[in-house]
Amino acid sequence: MRVLLIGANGYLGRFVADRLLADPAVQLTALGRGDDADVRFDLASGSPGALTRFLDAVHPGVVINCAGATRGGARELTRHNTVAVATVCEALRRSGCGARLVQIGCGAEYGPSQPGSSTAEDAVPRPGGPYGVSKLAATELVLGSGLDAVVLRVFSPAGPGTPAGSPLGRLAEALRRAMQSGDGELKLGGLGVQRDFIDVRDVARAVHAASLSAAQGVINIGSGRAVRLRDAAAVLARVAGYGGTLHELDGPPGPMRSAIGHPRTEADHGAPVAYPYPDGCGSWQQADVRTARDRLGWRPRINLEESLADIWMEAACRI
């Protein structure tokens, strides 16, 4: 099976590439903006015609799109998450390869949900920020393209390679700094939010399964269990061997407290570390993953403690 993987150097794409390369039946070609891609191509600025010519030459049976942006303003997010997907869809429509498209979506497309609920694929998406809006627009383009396509809505990925600017990445970095400086107390804020964390290696397994299946439409990929960030912080402290006290700050982040996923400024350098989510999903998110089980034969295998241990292992290497 010839597979074209777009975004192989990204956080999710690296693990998807590893999973596909382990399958002897897969012939993999990586397309991306980096020098180490098999073919260099920028979806945000390249033309559908140029991509069509490449598709006709390679003739893949499956195209997997892991490319995209998670940070930036609305214009940048639209270019990399929406315009890029429009380019892929148009190129596939023009090409004679007839490839199946596996598009990586995200749980942020749904927006806030009722605490205690599980979000199924038939929920009406109401994204609460520009990232979720840009990804939802991409999903709608794929679903309306007429292609043989499936969109995997990945909730909160975790595990090795977790970006330092992500919520769990920043928790690990805060712990590393506290242990390095010998601080006996770590002050954290915004830990009341609950998210559905799913290991990135389980995500790669889901992408592999989707590429081999005939499933179409939207499929949620998550653990099916919401976890409070404060509980994740406690587990991370335990696996790190941190003997100090985690002191949770109450209330929403103020002007002197930095948000999760955003770099701290000089103004808040000495302020307590705060961790609200900037994903527009409110205080709660939990996936209903029955569709993935029924249509892909997929279930998560890696628990959060193992994911957090791998995150800490990478952070500890910076001590």
Side-chain angles (χ1 to χ4, degrees), residues 164-307:
S166 70
L168 296 179
R170 293 197 67 188
L171 277 172
E173 178 63 14
L175 271 171
R176 184 193 68 81
R177 290 184 178 183
M179 295 177 72
Q180 189 172 28
S181 61
D183 290 342
E185 183 181 52
L186 180 58
K187 297 180 179 180
L188 304 168
L191 299 185
V193 295
Q194 299 182 66
R195 288 292 181 269
D196 188 329
F197 295 106
I198 178 70
D199 193 274
V200 66
R201 291 159 292 193
D202 280 333
V203 174
R205 287 179 44 248
V207 173
H208 188 200
S211 68
L212 297 173
S213 78
Q216 296 186 339
V218 174
I219 300 178
N220 290 340
I221 303 298
S223 69
R225 182 173 69 95
V227 175
R228 280 188 175 84
L229 204 53
R230 71 168 64 95
D231 296 332
V235 172
L236 193 58
R238 186 176 76 249
V239 300
Y242 178 64
T245 302
L246 296 181
H247 179 67
E248 184 177 355
L249 302 172
D250 296 325
M256 295 297 288
R257 291 160 59 190
S258 60
I260 264 187
H262 296 285
R264 300 178 72 188
T265 65
E266 290 301 319
D268 65 15
H269 181 73
V273 181
Y275 293 99
Y277 262 75
D279 58 5
C281 294
S283 63
W284 170 278
Q285 201 173 51
Q286 178 175 285
D288 182 330
V289 294
R290 289 175 293 179
T291 301
R293 179 196 64 199
D294 296 341
R295 299 176 65 190
L296 300 181
W298 174 91
R299 286 181 174 86
R301 294 177 180 172
I302 301 174
N303 61 39
L304 182 58
E305 183 165 350
E306 183 176 345
S307 302

Side-chain angles (χ1 to χ4, degrees), residues 121-154:
E121 291 85 356
D122 59 357
V124 177
R126 294 186 176 88
Y131 172 63
V133 169
S134 68
K135 293 294 287 186
L136 177 60
T139 292
E140 295 299 332
L141 284 170
V142 170
L143 297 181
S145 67
L147 300 169
D148 173 14
V150 63
V151 177
L152 303 183
R153 276 190 178 144
V154 178

